[in-house]
């Protein structure tokens, strides 16, 4: 079904890195999570930047346009994004891996 | 319909759009708080007069959209659809139009008389952003009024507009939000089908058609019982097939994308921004407050601060209230002749009123702190920081605050649950809050520990009890959430609002209104229950014992106070409470409790502090502070009691119903007698089971 979409490097938002700009490709969440995402303007085509992870490693904070929102990693798994390069005002940070599911 | 001089206005807008501030600017002090019928969503109404018109304002709950997925959104949407306000004022945060306008496009779909109020216009000017209002009005077909709730700029203009629209001086264009041609075609097809069949209670058919394409469950349900069902389904099938095939998305995502694209395009035409992606002030603060190392300690410090403020600072006014009531009792004691009426007044009613008011300092301080967190924007960060842990037991980060508040007092903790959006989360959190051992239970533990344990072990036993409560709470939360509210998890997809300077006036007002609500609703139940409990402990009396003490009292040099104590103790088994205590012995015996401990526990329903003083009465040592030691001694020397009984008693006190006040507040906050009853049954059952296990195990080890 997804064959006629041009091939791009699509990753899950839950695997995204801090300080990189992404473009939303697809939202596969269901029910209320999906509704909230759509209400917040998290729709295909929108650009976002991952700002930070919570001190315990989850949830994630992202920036869309001029506002900040948060979502859990398990919710971010329902969002496919493609990387658009580093965000000019933020330094890409590499420490993220250390936090993966650790507490 | 209301008369022509009354204008019925609903206020809609995103959370954090400053809706409440604007409402306050408009309505002033003329406000009334209630609930929307059938749900625990707060409804604030206000009225004002302007240019000979009466404007009736209803503040709808803050929502991001009008989907049927949360009670707030459903309330807002049903209100607009079925109460049919004369106009809807949509308050948008001008500094964040991309997201705020999503709701605006949905309101346009509802074809209401729409007035868009752009709040925080002063901040926009500071950011050197320029908004072309004329072009904006052309695109959205609604009048736009720039205002600032902070500087009060634009409020008179807004009021003028409301009146002018009503009087027909201005006509709004009521533009429809146009979707793509493909979508519009399908919308038209659907309108043609459904408008033939029914009047749909005046619900706009265009809106219905759009919602049908989005697969909105409520509107689908409306159609299900109609004969046009099949024709509608046929169109819907071809829409979803079409959109899936050519755009690779589901219909609701497709429409949401269309809205966002429309807004994006409109803003390109109307707004000239300064630099977009620079770090904002909020981001800079969050770099510290949400720092990966310091974020957690800062968070804990803030929580600790709130806890200390609420319960340490609250301690002083509580003492004043306490001594005030003591003075009042002493005063009335002196001037009213002894009678049953006097006893009802002093020990029943005045004690009951005192029992209601004593919580007020805690509630006021806690709610002031909570509205400060909410108003500054840190509340969302609280949830952000702690969500990972709370999510493990199926709850949302926001449940953390009510839980730790439970260590102070269950009543304000239950009220703090209001900050949660999801009903399942609210009920679950309320069910487990009482297991976080409240301050009033501490004297009971102290008494029991000093009676049965070595001083060296005291700290460990106490710590063990608190820890045990937490464990039970966490297990219960997991259990309730995964059974009664299975799959009903509140998503964490939420805004982290920008930090703002809070408005002291709004905070004070909110706190005051909540406190009044507590006094009015919970207060009456607490008062009534205290009086009933007083009757149960005092009546009926055995006349023989009474006569015996009457003659003793008449003897020369009799110690009246001591005789009164002894009579009370001897009369107890004959009172209703005493009889219940004796009646309950068969089920309390496996826990090691005799009828005397049962009475103490029944008394504890009024408040846990009373357990100790009522034991003083039961064991006839008086209930002064100084007698704690002699009370501990009589417990220790009683052949019926042992370490095992002590442990079992502490566990029971920890887990059973905290107090009548908490049940009253539970029932009010959950808006469900059924859940309040379940709360009572559940805590009693859990208490019985664990006391049983503790007593039997401890006895086995010969404690």
């Amino acid at each position: 079904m997804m064959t006629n979409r041009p091939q791009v490097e699509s990753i899950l938002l839950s695997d995204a890195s801090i300080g990189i700009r992404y473009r939303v490709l697809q939202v596969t969440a269901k029910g209320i999570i999906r509704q909230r995402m759509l209400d917040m303007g998290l729709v295909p085509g929108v650009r976002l930047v991952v700002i930070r992870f919570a001190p315990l490693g989850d949830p994630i904070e992202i920036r869309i346009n001029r506002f900040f929102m948060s979502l859990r990693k398990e919710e971010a798994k329902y969002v496919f994004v493609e990387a658009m390069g580093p965000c000019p005002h933020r330094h890409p940070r590499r420490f993220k891996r250390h936090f993966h599911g650790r507490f | 319909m209301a008369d022509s001089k009354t204008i019925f206005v609903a206020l809609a807008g995103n959370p954090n759009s400053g809706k409440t501030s604007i409402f306050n600017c408009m309505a002033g002090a003329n406000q009334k708080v209630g609930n929307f019928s059938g749900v625990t969503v707060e409804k604030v109404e206000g009225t004002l007069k302007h240019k000979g018109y009466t404007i009736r304002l209803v503040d709808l709950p803050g929502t991001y959209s009008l989907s049927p997925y949360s009670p707030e959104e459903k309330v807002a949407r049903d209100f607009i659809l079925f109460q049919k306000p004369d106009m809807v004022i949509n308050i948008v945060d001008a500094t964040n139009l991309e997201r705020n306008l999503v709701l605006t496009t949905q309101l346009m779909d509802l074809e209401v008389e729409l007035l868009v109020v752009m709040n925080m216009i002063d901040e926009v000017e500071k950011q050197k952003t320029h908004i072309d209002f004329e072009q904006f009005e052309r695109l959205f077909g609604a009048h736009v009024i720039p205002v600032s709730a902070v500087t009060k700029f634009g409020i008179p203009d807004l009021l003028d507009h409301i009146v002018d629209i009503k009087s027909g001086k201005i006509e709004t264009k009521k533009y429809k939000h146009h979707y793509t041609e493909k979508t519009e075609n399908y919308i038209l097809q659907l309108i043609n089908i459904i408008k033939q069949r029914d009047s749909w209670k005046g619900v706009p058919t265009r809106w219905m058609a759009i919602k049908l394409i989005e697969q909105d469950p409520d509107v689908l349900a409306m159609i299900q019982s109609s004969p046009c069902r099949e024709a509608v389904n046929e169109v819907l099938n071809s829409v979803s097939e079409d959109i899936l095939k050519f755009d690779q998305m589901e219909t609701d995502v497709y429409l949401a994308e269309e809205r966002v694209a429309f807004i994006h395009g409109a803003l390109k035409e109307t707004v000239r921004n300064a630099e977009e992606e620079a770090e904002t002030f909020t981001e800079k603060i969050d770099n510290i407050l949400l720092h990966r190392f310091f974020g957690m300690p800062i968070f804990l410090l803030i929580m600790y601060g709130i806890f200390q403020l609420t319960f340490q600072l609250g301690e002083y006014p509580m003492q004043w209230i306490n001594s005030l009531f003591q003075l009042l009792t002493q005063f009335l004691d002196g001037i009213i002749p002894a009678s049953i009426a006097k006893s009802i007044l002093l020990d029943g009613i005045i004690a009951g009123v005192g029992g209601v008011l004593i919580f007020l300092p805690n509630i006021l301080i806690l709610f002031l702190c909570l509205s400060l967190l909410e108003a500054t924007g840190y509340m969302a960060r609280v949830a952000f920081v702690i969500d990972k842990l709370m999510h493990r037991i199926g709850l949302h980060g926001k449940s953390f605050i009510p839980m730790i508040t439970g260590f102070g007092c269950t009543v304000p903790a239950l009220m703090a649950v209001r900050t949660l959006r999801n009903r399942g989360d609210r009920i679950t959190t309320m069910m487990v809050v009482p297991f976080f051992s409240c301050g009033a239970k501490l004297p009971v533990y102290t008494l029991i520990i000093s009676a049965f344990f070595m001083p060296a072990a005291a700290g460990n036993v106490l710590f063990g009890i608190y820890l045990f409560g937490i464990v039970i709470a966490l297990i219960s939360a997991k259990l309730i959430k995964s059974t009664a509210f299975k799959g009903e998890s509140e998503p964490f997809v939420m805004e982290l609002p920008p930090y703002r300077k809070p408005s002291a006036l709004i905070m004070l007002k909110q706190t005051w209104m909540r406190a009044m609500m507590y006094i009015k609703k919970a207060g009456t139940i607490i008062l009534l229950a205290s009086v009933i409990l007083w009757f149960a402990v005092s009546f009926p009396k055995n006349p023989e014992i009474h006569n015996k003490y009457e003659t003793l009292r008449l003897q020369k040099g009799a110690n009246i106070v001591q005789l009164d104590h002894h009579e009370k103790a001897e009369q107890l088994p004959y009172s209703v409470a005493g009889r219940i205590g004796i009646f309950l012995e068969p089920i309390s015996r496996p826990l090691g409790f005799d009828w005397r401990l049962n009475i103490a526990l029944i008394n504890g329903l009024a408040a846990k502090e009373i357990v100790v003083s009522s034991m003083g009465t039961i064991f006839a040592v008086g209930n002064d502070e100084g007698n704690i030691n002699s009370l501990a001694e009589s417990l220790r020397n009683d052949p019926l009691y042992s370490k095992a009984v002590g442990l079992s008693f502490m566990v029971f006190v920890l887990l059973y119903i905290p107090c009548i006040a908490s049940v009253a507040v539970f029932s009010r906050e959950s808006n469900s007698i059924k859940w309040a009853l379940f709360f009572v049954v559940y805590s009693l059952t859990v208490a019985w089971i664990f006391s049983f296990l503790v007593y039997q195990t401890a006895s086995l080890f010969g404690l």
Side-chain angles (χ1 to χ4, degrees), chain A residues 4 34 36 39-40 44 52 56 59 63 65-70 72 74-75 89-90, chain B residues 65 96 99 248 250 252-253 257 275-276 283 286-287 387-388 391 491-492 494 496:
Chain A
N4 46 1
R34 174 200 195 86
R36 284 280 154 79
D39 294 345
M40 297 275 171
R52 77 181 92 241
L56 300 179
R63 174 177 178 158
N65 295 318
R66 305 194 132 245
F67 89 103
F68 300 91
M69 63 176 274
S70 65
R72 293 184 184 125
E74 61 176 55
E75 292 158 349
H89 296 275
R90 287 170 193 81
Chain B
S65 88
N96 184 5
R99 206 210 52 232
Q248 287 90 40
E250 286 89 346
D252 55 341
V253 180
E257 196 200 12
E275 202 175 6
E276 268 246 333
E283 225 181 319
D286 272 341
N287 284 342
D387 183 70
K388 187 173 181 181
H391 192 50
F492 206 81
M494 59 173 212
L496 292 179

Short mmCIF file of all heavy atoms in Angstrom, two decimals, chain A residues 4 34 36 39-40 44 52 56 59 63 65-70 72 74-75 89-90, chain B residues 65 96 99 248 250 252-253 257 275-276 283 286-287 387-388 391 491-492 494 496:
data_model
loop_
_atom_site.label_atom_id
_atom_site.label_comp_id
_atom_site.label_asym_id
_atom_site.label_seq_id
_atom_site.Cartn_x
_atom_site.Cartn_y
_atom_site.Cartn_z
N ASN A 4 3.97 3.59 -3.50
CA ASN A 4 4.22 4.74 -4.36
C ASN A 4 4.71 5.98 -3.63
O ASN A 4 4.79 7.05 -4.18
CB ASN A 4 2.99 5.09 -5.22
CG ASN A 4 1.74 5.09 -4.38
OD1 ASN A 4 1.80 4.83 -3.18
ND2 ASN A 4 0.60 5.37 -5.00
N ARG A 34 -3.86 9.07 18.94
CA ARG A 34 -3.89 9.62 17.58
C ARG A 34 -4.59 10.97 17.56
O ARG A 34 -4.10 11.93 16.99
CB ARG A 34 -4.64 8.61 16.70
CG ARG A 34 -4.91 9.06 15.29
CD ARG A 34 -6.05 8.20 14.75
NE ARG A 34 -6.18 8.28 13.33
CZ ARG A 34 -5.50 7.53 12.48
NH1 ARG A 34 -4.59 6.68 12.92
NH2 ARG A 34 -5.71 7.63 11.19
N ARG A 36 -5.01 13.13 19.96
CA ARG A 36 -4.19 14.17 20.58
C ARG A 36 -3.10 14.64 19.64
O ARG A 36 -2.81 15.82 19.54
CB ARG A 36 -3.55 13.65 21.87
CG ARG A 36 -4.46 13.56 23.03
CD ARG A 36 -4.69 14.90 23.71
NE ARG A 36 -5.97 14.92 24.39
CZ ARG A 36 -6.19 14.36 25.56
NH1 ARG A 36 -5.20 13.79 26.21
NH2 ARG A 36 -7.38 14.38 26.10
N ASP A 39 -4.57 16.82 17.06
CA ASP A 39 -4.96 18.11 17.64
C ASP A 39 -3.76 19.01 17.85
O ASP A 39 -3.86 20.23 17.80
CB ASP A 39 -5.63 17.89 19.01
CG ASP A 39 -6.95 17.17 18.88
OD1 ASP A 39 -7.46 17.10 17.75
OD2 ASP A 39 -7.44 16.65 19.90
N MET A 40 -2.62 18.39 18.18
CA MET A 40 -1.42 19.18 18.45
C MET A 40 -0.72 19.58 17.16
O MET A 40 0.35 20.19 17.19
CB MET A 40 -0.44 18.36 19.31
CG MET A 40 -0.97 18.00 20.65
SD MET A 40 -0.66 19.35 21.77
CE MET A 40 -1.60 18.82 23.17
N PRO A 44 1.41 14.55 9.07
CA PRO A 44 2.41 14.40 8.02
C PRO A 44 2.78 15.74 7.40
O PRO A 44 1.91 16.59 7.17
CB PRO A 44 1.71 13.50 7.00
CG PRO A 44 0.77 12.69 7.81
CD PRO A 44 0.31 13.59 8.92
N ARG A 52 14.65 17.50 24.16
CA ARG A 52 15.31 16.79 25.27
C ARG A 52 14.52 15.56 25.67
O ARG A 52 13.37 15.37 25.25
CB ARG A 52 15.48 17.72 26.47
CG ARG A 52 14.18 17.92 27.25
CD ARG A 52 14.33 18.87 28.41
NE ARG A 52 14.00 20.23 28.00
CZ ARG A 52 14.85 21.23 28.03
NH1 ARG A 52 16.07 21.06 28.48
NH2 ARG A 52 14.48 22.43 27.61
N LEU A 56 14.66 11.03 33.60
CA LEU A 56 14.68 9.57 33.71
C LEU A 56 14.72 8.89 32.34
O LEU A 56 14.62 7.67 32.24
CB LEU A 56 13.48 9.06 34.50
CG LEU A 56 13.35 9.56 35.94
CD1 LEU A 56 12.10 9.01 36.61
CD2 LEU A 56 14.58 9.18 36.76
N PRO A 59 9.47 10.82 29.34
CA PRO A 59 9.11 11.07 27.92
C PRO A 59 10.13 11.95 27.17
O PRO A 59 11.19 12.28 27.71
CB PRO A 59 7.77 11.81 28.06
CG PRO A 59 7.39 11.77 29.48
CD PRO A 59 8.59 11.46 30.26
N ARG A 63 9.73 20.15 19.69
CA ARG A 63 9.23 21.48 19.36
C ARG A 63 8.62 21.44 17.96
O ARG A 63 9.24 20.96 17.02
CB ARG A 63 10.38 22.48 19.40
CG ARG A 63 9.96 23.85 18.94
CD ARG A 63 11.08 24.85 19.05
NE ARG A 63 10.60 26.14 18.55
CZ ARG A 63 11.13 27.30 18.87
NH1 ARG A 63 12.16 27.34 19.69
NH2 ARG A 63 10.65 28.41 18.38
N ASN A 65 6.83 24.10 15.31
CA ASN A 65 6.60 25.52 15.13
C ASN A 65 7.06 26.29 16.36
O ASN A 65 8.22 26.26 16.71
CB ASN A 65 5.12 25.81 14.85
CG ASN A 65 4.69 25.21 13.52
OD1 ASN A 65 5.41 25.28 12.55
ND2 ASN A 65 3.54 24.59 13.52
N ARG A 66 6.08 26.91 17.05
CA ARG A 66 6.47 27.74 18.18
C ARG A 66 6.07 27.13 19.50
O ARG A 66 6.00 27.83 20.50
CB ARG A 66 5.82 29.12 18.03
CG ARG A 66 6.13 29.75 16.72
CD ARG A 66 5.77 31.19 16.74
NE ARG A 66 6.87 31.94 16.21
CZ ARG A 66 7.57 32.82 16.92
NH1 ARG A 66 7.29 33.04 18.17
NH2 ARG A 66 8.55 33.46 16.35
N PHE A 67 5.74 25.89 19.52
CA PHE A 67 5.38 25.38 20.84
C PHE A 67 6.02 24.03 21.13
O PHE A 67 6.51 23.34 20.25
CB PHE A 67 3.85 25.34 21.00
CG PHE A 67 3.19 24.08 20.55
CD1 PHE A 67 2.77 23.16 21.49
CD2 PHE A 67 2.98 23.82 19.22
CE1 PHE A 67 2.15 22.00 21.09
CE2 PHE A 67 2.37 22.67 18.82
CZ PHE A 67 1.94 21.76 19.75
N PHE A 68 6.02 23.73 22.43
CA PHE A 68 6.71 22.54 22.91
C PHE A 68 5.70 21.51 23.37
O PHE A 68 4.72 21.84 24.02
CB PHE A 68 7.63 22.91 24.07
CG PHE A 68 8.66 23.91 23.69
CD1 PHE A 68 8.42 25.26 23.84
CD2 PHE A 68 9.86 23.50 23.15
CE1 PHE A 68 9.36 26.20 23.47
CE2 PHE A 68 10.81 24.42 22.77
CZ PHE A 68 10.56 25.78 22.93
N MET A 69 5.95 20.28 23.01
CA MET A 69 5.05 19.23 23.51
C MET A 69 5.86 18.03 23.92
O MET A 69 7.03 17.88 23.57
CB MET A 69 4.00 18.86 22.46
CG MET A 69 4.55 18.27 21.19
SD MET A 69 3.21 17.76 20.08
CE MET A 69 2.86 16.13 20.69
N SER A 70 5.22 17.19 24.70
CA SER A 70 5.92 16.00 25.17
C SER A 70 5.11 14.78 24.81
O SER A 70 3.89 14.85 24.62
CB SER A 70 6.10 16.07 26.68
OG SER A 70 4.85 16.00 27.30
N ARG A 72 5.43 10.18 25.31
CA ARG A 72 6.22 9.04 25.78
C ARG A 72 6.88 8.36 24.59
O ARG A 72 6.38 8.43 23.48
CB ARG A 72 5.33 8.03 26.49
CG ARG A 72 4.74 8.54 27.77
CD ARG A 72 3.94 7.47 28.47
NE ARG A 72 3.30 8.01 29.66
CZ ARG A 72 1.98 7.96 29.91
NH1 ARG A 72 1.18 7.36 29.04
NH2 ARG A 72 1.50 8.49 31.00
N GLU A 74 6.89 5.26 23.97
CA GLU A 74 5.98 4.26 23.40
C GLU A 74 4.93 4.90 22.50
O GLU A 74 4.41 4.25 21.60
CB GLU A 74 5.33 3.42 24.51
CG GLU A 74 4.48 4.24 25.46
CD GLU A 74 3.77 3.37 26.49
OE1 GLU A 74 4.45 2.61 27.18
OE2 GLU A 74 2.53 3.46 26.57
N GLU A 75 4.64 6.19 22.75
CA GLU A 75 3.71 6.90 21.86
C GLU A 75 4.44 7.39 20.62
O GLU A 75 3.88 7.41 19.51
CB GLU A 75 3.07 8.07 22.61
CG GLU A 75 2.14 7.62 23.73
CD GLU A 75 1.92 8.67 24.81
OE1 GLU A 75 2.63 9.69 24.83
OE2 GLU A 75 1.03 8.45 25.64
N HIS A 89 20.29 26.15 15.81
CA HIS A 89 20.49 26.79 17.11
C HIS A 89 20.77 25.81 18.24
O HIS A 89 20.84 26.18 19.38
CB HIS A 89 19.27 27.64 17.46
CG HIS A 89 19.08 28.77 16.50
ND1 HIS A 89 19.72 29.96 16.63
CD2 HIS A 89 18.35 28.84 15.36
CE1 HIS A 89 19.38 30.75 15.62
NE2 HIS A 89 18.56 30.09 14.85
N ARG A 90 20.83 24.56 17.90
CA ARG A 90 21.06 23.58 18.97
C ARG A 90 22.18 22.63 18.56
O ARG A 90 22.33 22.34 17.39
CB ARG A 90 19.79 22.78 19.23
CG ARG A 90 18.76 23.58 19.94
CD ARG A 90 17.44 22.89 19.99
NE ARG A 90 16.44 23.84 20.41
CZ ARG A 90 15.86 24.72 19.60
NH1 ARG A 90 16.16 24.73 18.33
NH2 ARG A 90 14.98 25.57 20.06
N SER B 65 -9.21 20.46 20.92
CA SER B 65 -10.08 20.20 19.78
C SER B 65 -11.47 19.87 20.28
O SER B 65 -11.75 20.02 21.47
CB SER B 65 -9.52 19.06 18.92
OG SER B 65 -9.97 17.82 19.37
N ASN B 96 1.21 31.69 19.57
CA ASN B 96 1.29 30.29 19.18
C ASN B 96 0.10 29.95 18.29
O ASN B 96 -0.70 29.08 18.60
CB ASN B 96 1.31 29.44 20.46
CG ASN B 96 1.49 27.98 20.18
OD1 ASN B 96 1.71 27.57 19.04
ND2 ASN B 96 1.37 27.17 21.20
N ARG B 99 -0.93 26.21 16.49
CA ARG B 99 -1.67 25.19 17.19
C ARG B 99 -3.05 25.68 17.61
O ARG B 99 -4.04 24.96 17.51
CB ARG B 99 -0.92 24.68 18.39
CG ARG B 99 -1.33 23.27 18.74
CD ARG B 99 -1.20 22.99 20.21
NE ARG B 99 -1.87 23.99 20.99
CZ ARG B 99 -1.29 24.64 21.97
NH1 ARG B 99 -0.06 24.40 22.29
NH2 ARG B 99 -1.96 25.55 22.63
N GLN B 248 -2.23 7.84 0.87
CA GLN B 248 -1.63 6.93 1.86
C GLN B 248 -1.91 7.34 3.30
O GLN B 248 -1.04 7.25 4.15
CB GLN B 248 -0.11 6.83 1.66
CG GLN B 248 0.32 6.05 0.46
CD GLN B 248 0.44 6.95 -0.75
OE1 GLN B 248 0.92 8.07 -0.63
NE2 GLN B 248 0.00 6.48 -1.90
N GLU B 250 -5.18 7.66 6.53
CA GLU B 250 -6.57 7.50 6.92
C GLU B 250 -7.25 8.87 6.82
O GLU B 250 -6.60 9.90 6.84
CB GLU B 250 -6.67 6.96 8.35
CG GLU B 250 -6.32 5.50 8.46
CD GLU B 250 -4.84 5.27 8.71
OE1 GLU B 250 -4.06 6.23 8.52
OE2 GLU B 250 -4.49 4.15 9.08
N ASP B 252 -9.10 10.68 8.88
CA ASP B 252 -8.99 11.70 9.93
C ASP B 252 -7.65 12.41 9.88
O ASP B 252 -7.56 13.62 10.08
CB ASP B 252 -9.27 11.11 11.33
CG ASP B 252 -8.39 9.93 11.64
OD1 ASP B 252 -7.82 9.34 10.70
OD2 ASP B 252 -8.26 9.59 12.83
N VAL B 253 -6.58 11.64 9.59
CA VAL B 253 -5.27 12.27 9.45
C VAL B 253 -5.29 13.23 8.26
O VAL B 253 -4.75 14.34 8.31
CB VAL B 253 -4.17 11.21 9.25
CG1 VAL B 253 -2.81 11.86 9.11
CG2 VAL B 253 -4.16 10.22 10.40
N GLU B 257 -4.49 17.08 8.42
CA GLU B 257 -3.40 17.65 7.63
C GLU B 257 -3.92 18.83 6.80
O GLU B 257 -3.25 19.85 6.67
CB GLU B 257 -2.81 16.58 6.73
CG GLU B 257 -1.46 16.98 6.17
CD GLU B 257 -1.08 16.20 4.93
OE1 GLU B 257 -1.94 15.50 4.38
OE2 GLU B 257 0.07 16.29 4.53
N GLU B 275 12.84 35.70 14.08
CA GLU B 275 13.48 34.40 13.92
C GLU B 275 12.70 33.30 14.63
O GLU B 275 12.25 33.48 15.76
CB GLU B 275 14.89 34.48 14.49
CG GLU B 275 15.79 33.44 13.92
CD GLU B 275 17.21 33.62 14.42
OE1 GLU B 275 17.43 34.48 15.28
OE2 GLU B 275 18.07 32.90 13.94
N GLU B 276 12.56 32.19 13.97
CA GLU B 276 11.69 31.14 14.49
C GLU B 276 12.36 30.18 15.48
O GLU B 276 11.78 29.80 16.47
CB GLU B 276 11.14 30.30 13.33
CG GLU B 276 9.81 30.78 12.81
CD GLU B 276 8.71 29.80 13.08
OE1 GLU B 276 9.02 28.60 13.18
OE2 GLU B 276 7.56 30.22 13.17
N GLU B 283 12.68 27.71 27.00
CA GLU B 283 13.63 26.63 26.76
C GLU B 283 14.86 26.79 27.64
O GLU B 283 15.41 25.82 28.16
CB GLU B 283 14.03 26.66 25.29
CG GLU B 283 14.05 25.30 24.64
CD GLU B 283 14.47 25.38 23.20
OE1 GLU B 283 14.04 26.31 22.50
OE2 GLU B 283 15.23 24.51 22.78
N ASP B 286 14.03 25.71 31.09
CA ASP B 286 13.92 24.26 31.14
C ASP B 286 15.27 23.57 31.03
O ASP B 286 15.44 22.46 31.50
CB ASP B 286 12.97 23.76 30.03
CG ASP B 286 11.53 23.74 30.51
OD1 ASP B 286 11.33 23.75 31.73
OD2 ASP B 286 10.62 23.70 29.66
N ASN B 287 16.23 24.23 30.39
CA ASN B 287 17.57 23.65 30.35
C ASN B 287 18.09 23.43 31.76
O ASN B 287 18.88 22.52 32.00
CB ASN B 287 18.53 24.57 29.59
CG ASN B 287 18.30 24.47 28.08
OD1 ASN B 287 17.68 23.52 27.61
ND2 ASN B 287 18.78 25.46 27.35
N ASP B 387 6.84 11.01 35.13
CA ASP B 387 5.91 10.13 34.40
C ASP B 387 6.45 8.71 34.22
O ASP B 387 5.70 7.74 34.28
CB ASP B 387 5.57 10.71 33.04
CG ASP B 387 4.56 9.84 32.30
OD1 ASP B 387 3.41 9.81 32.74
OD2 ASP B 387 4.94 9.16 31.33
N LYS B 388 7.74 8.59 34.01
CA LYS B 388 8.27 7.25 33.73
C LYS B 388 7.95 6.28 34.86
O LYS B 388 7.57 5.13 34.62
CB LYS B 388 9.78 7.32 33.51
CG LYS B 388 10.33 5.99 33.03
CD LYS B 388 11.77 6.07 32.65
CE LYS B 388 12.23 4.70 32.18
NZ LYS B 388 13.64 4.71 31.81
N HIS B 391 4.06 5.77 35.20
CA HIS B 391 3.50 5.00 34.09
C HIS B 391 3.65 3.50 34.33
O HIS B 391 2.89 2.71 33.80
CB HIS B 391 4.19 5.42 32.79
CG HIS B 391 3.50 4.90 31.57
ND1 HIS B 391 2.14 5.04 31.36
CD2 HIS B 391 3.95 4.21 30.50
CE1 HIS B 391 1.80 4.48 30.23
NE2 HIS B 391 2.89 3.96 29.68
N PRO B 491 -2.97 9.54 27.51
CA PRO B 491 -1.72 9.68 26.77
C PRO B 491 -0.89 10.83 27.33
O PRO B 491 -1.42 11.72 27.99
CB PRO B 491 -2.18 9.99 25.34
CG PRO B 491 -3.60 10.36 25.41
CD PRO B 491 -4.16 9.89 26.72
N PHE B 492 0.41 10.76 27.06
CA PHE B 492 1.27 11.84 27.53
C PHE B 492 1.49 12.87 26.42
O PHE B 492 2.33 13.75 26.55
CB PHE B 492 2.60 11.28 28.04
CG PHE B 492 3.23 12.18 29.05
CD1 PHE B 492 2.82 12.15 30.36
CD2 PHE B 492 4.20 13.08 28.68
CE1 PHE B 492 3.37 13.00 31.29
CE2 PHE B 492 4.75 13.95 29.61
CZ PHE B 492 4.35 13.91 30.91
N MET B 494 1.09 15.89 25.25
CA MET B 494 0.54 17.12 25.81
C MET B 494 1.51 18.27 25.64
O MET B 494 2.68 18.08 25.32
CB MET B 494 0.20 16.93 27.28
CG MET B 494 1.39 16.54 28.12
SD MET B 494 0.92 16.54 29.84
CE MET B 494 2.47 17.01 30.59
N LEU B 496 3.91 21.35 26.72
CA LEU B 496 4.68 21.90 27.82
C LEU B 496 4.57 23.42 27.64
O LEU B 496 5.29 24.01 26.84
CB LEU B 496 6.14 21.44 27.76
CG LEU B 496 6.38 19.95 28.00
CD1 LEU B 496 7.85 19.62 27.88
CD2 LEU B 496 5.86 19.53 29.37
#
